[in-house]
């Protein structure tokens, strides 16, 4: 028992510091009203998306099995009206949240992973490695992300995985630049020199010293990228490059355009998915700005 105490004590102290840091973080975050509103909206939308299978009969989402009236305006039976196949627009919007949020999170995960890897490697090694990686990053920045995503989605098979890959592999340059700048700042600190003097290798320095220091910045960047990824997914689906068998917000708008809802004034078919996209993007942006203010000492002082 006495031998285990010295080993457990540092771990207990480490967990105690982490809990204290989380508590301080929540106090700072809670002081930002916009961030709290955004977080509450995201939690509500996430719960609705998770509970969609319990709220909606999947047969009603099928074009061939829908039993509702065609292009019926909002009523007690159909609060947001119906589409050109007799499906409830409310059910489509709720179910579409699952796909749009999933694509947004997965594409952001791919983008943040690639961007963080490129940024840390470029900032750590420098020299010709940084020049090559940054020139590739500059090329991706110069070419519009949407154009590259459309090209990839058009070449690959039409599926949700294709949309994730197309967005994730084209949205990483901003993260790479931000992470590289932070890596250069961390590499200039004295304890990095001490680690090198003690024989620490490149992998040890990047994973044990650089990565933990850039993670708060990456977290804030992630919340901002999710909003962009959801908008990009909706755009690709609206252009007909998404999976036609999957219900998403962009796909609903594309179907509404194909049915002539805009020219016919069928607002209940077009506005709900558009408002849902705007609400989720705004919520993630509010959370991202709040995180950035909490994690950045300079912004917090202001």
């Amino acid at each position: 028992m006495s031998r285990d105490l010295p080993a457990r004590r540092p771990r207990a102290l480490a967990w105690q510091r982490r809990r204290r840091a989380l508590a301080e973080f929540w106090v700072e975050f809670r002081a930002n009203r916009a961030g709290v509103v955004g977080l509450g909206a995201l939690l509500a939308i996430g719960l609705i998306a998770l509970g969609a299978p319990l709220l909606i009969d999947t047969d009603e989402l099928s074009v061939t099995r829908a039993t509702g009236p065609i292009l019926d305006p909002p009523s007690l039976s159909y609060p947001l009206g119906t589409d050109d196949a007799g499906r409830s627009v409310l059910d489509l919007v709720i179910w579409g949240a699952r796909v749009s949020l999933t694509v947004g999170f997965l594409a952001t995960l791919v983008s943040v992973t690639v961007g963080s890897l490129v940024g840390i490697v470029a900032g750590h090694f420098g020299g010709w490695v940084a020049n090559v990686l940054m020139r590739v990053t500059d090329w991706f920045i110069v070419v519009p992300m949407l154009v590259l995503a459309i090209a990839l989605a058009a070449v690959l098979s039409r599926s949700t995985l294709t949309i994730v890959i197309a967005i994730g592999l084209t949205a990483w340059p901003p993260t790479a630049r931000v992470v590289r700048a932070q890596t250069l700042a961390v590499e200039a600190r004295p304890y990095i020199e001490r680690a090198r003097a003690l024989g620490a290798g490149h992998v040890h320095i990047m994973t044990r010293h650089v990565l933990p220091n850039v993670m708060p910045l990456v977290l804030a960047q992630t919340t901002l990228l999710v909003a962009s990824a959801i908008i990009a997914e909706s755009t690709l689906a609206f252009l007909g490059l998404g999976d036609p068998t999957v219900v998403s917000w962009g796909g609903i708008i594309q179907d509404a355009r194909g049915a002539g809802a805009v020219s016919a004034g069928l607002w209940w078919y077009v506005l709900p998915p558009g408002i849902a996209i705007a609400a989720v993007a705004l919520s993630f942006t509010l959370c991202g700005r709040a995180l950035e203010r909490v994690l950045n000492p300079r912004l917090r002082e202001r």
Side-chain angles (χ1 to χ4, degrees), residues 30-273:
R30 189 174 56 186
N32 191 306
R33 295 182 180 179
V36 173
V37 171
L39 180 61
L42 289 178
L43 291 176
I45 295 173
L47 290 175
I48 293 174
L50 290 175
L54 302 176
L55 302 173
I56 301 170
D57 185 4
T58 55
D59 291 339
E60 293 295 329
L61 299 176
S62 175
V63 177
T64 58
R65 297 179 182 177
T67 58
I70 295 176
L71 297 177
D72 196 47
S75 61
L76 293 178
S77 300
Y78 301 97
L80 294 181
T82 60
D83 65 353
D84 56 334
R87 299 176 296 179
S88 172
V89 175
L90 178 60
D91 292 350
L92 294 175
V93 171
I94 293 176
W95 196 269
R98 296 169 60 85
V99 176
S100 296
L101 291 177
T102 301
V103 171
F105 280 116
L106 292 180
T108 301
L109 178 62
V110 174
S111 175
V112 168
T113 301
V114 175
S116 300
L117 179 63
V118 171
I120 291 176
V121 171
H124 175 76
F125 288 100
W128 67 269
V129 175
N131 288 331
V132 171
L133 292 177
M134 287 300 100
R135 296 299 77 77
V136 174
T137 303
D138 292 338
W139 184 85
F140 273 91
I141 291 177
V142 171
V143 180
M145 183 194 75
L146 184 60
V147 175
L148 290 176
I150 290 174
L152 287 175
V155 172
L156 302 175
S157 60
R158 296 174 61 183
S159 64
T160 303
L161 180 60
T162 297
I163 298 296
V164 172
I165 295 174
I167 298 174
L169 294 182
T170 56
W172 58 267
T175 302
R177 279 192 166 278
V178 172
V179 171
R180 177 177 178 267
Q182 184 68 11
T183 301
L184 292 174
V186 173
E187 292 274 349
R189 296 174 182 173
Y191 67 84
I192 298 295
E193 293 295 331
R194 290 196 294 268
R196 288 197 178 98
L198 293 173
H202 296 295
V203 176
H204 177 86
I205 292 175
M206 288 189 292
T207 56
R208 296 296 183 88
H209 298 291
V210 177
L211 184 61
N213 283 281
V214 302
M215 278 306 296
L217 190 63
V218 171
L219 179 61
Q221 185 73 7
T222 299
T223 56
L224 297 175
L225 282 177
V226 173
S228 300
I230 291 175
I231 295 175
E233 182 277 331
S234 302
T235 303
L236 294 176
F238 174 75
L239 295 175
L241 298 174
D243 190 348
T245 63
V246 174
V247 178
S248 68
W249 289 335
I252 298 172
I253 298 177
Q254 198 274 340
D255 292 339
R257 182 189 63 84
V262 176
S263 58
L266 306 178
W267 57 269
W268 62 86
Y269 197 178
V270 181
L271 285 182

